[in-house]
């Protein structure tokens, strides 16, 4: 988290962490529109993230986790009833 001058706590992703996750998955920024990296004429790199691109990805993972939790809860209930 980052504490800005507003006194509020700001939370976000670190672009370089997202880039590393992509590389670990054999992907690049060309594979995921949520990650942006550009090099300026002076050689400086600019990183940014498009948070809207993460919504569907996060929703998909939440749905999978909810399904898995339900399956595990059902297994626990079956074991209790034996």
């Amino acid at each position: 988290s980052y504490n800005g001058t507003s006194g509020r706590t700001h939370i976000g992703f670190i672009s370089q962490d997202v880039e590393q996750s992509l590389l670990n998955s054999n992907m690049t920024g060309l594979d995921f529109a949520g990650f942006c990296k550009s090099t300026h004429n002076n050689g400086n790199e600019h990183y940014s993230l498009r948070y809207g691109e993460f919504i569907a990805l996060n929703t998909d993972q939440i749905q999978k986790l909810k399904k898995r939790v339900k399956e595990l809860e059902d297994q626990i209930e079956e074991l209790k009833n034996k």
Side-chain angles (χ1 to χ4, degrees):
S1 71
Y2 171 77
N3 293 322
T5 58
S6 68
R8 298 177 295 171
T9 299
H10 299 266
I11 298 173
F13 299 116
I14 298 171
S15 297
Q16 290 83 349
D17 289 347
V18 173
E19 178 181 38
Q20 189 60 54
S21 293
L22 289 170
L23 293 172
N24 291 345
S25 300
N26 295 318
M27 298 172 67
T28 70
L30 296 175
D31 299 307
F32 177 56
F35 173 79
C36 302
K37 178 180 173 182
S38 59
T39 304
H40 296 278
N41 290 337
N42 62 7
N44 290 338
E45 293 178 327
H46 177 77
Y47 287 81
S48 62
L49 297 173
R50 294 182 183 119
Y51 281 91
E53 297 288 336
F54 288 83
I55 294 170
L57 177 63
N58 290 344
T59 301
D60 175 65
Q61 292 302 305
I62 291 166
Q63 289 171 338
K64 287 178 180 175
L65 286 170
K66 286 179 72 173
K67 180 181 177 188
R68 182 66 179 140
V69 167
K70 175 73 170 109
E71 290 169 354
L72 292 171
E73 288 174 339
D74 290 347
Q75 288 178 12
I76 290 169
E77 195 59 37
E78 283 180 29
L79 290 171
K80 284 181 179 180
N81 293 329
K82 284 188 176 185

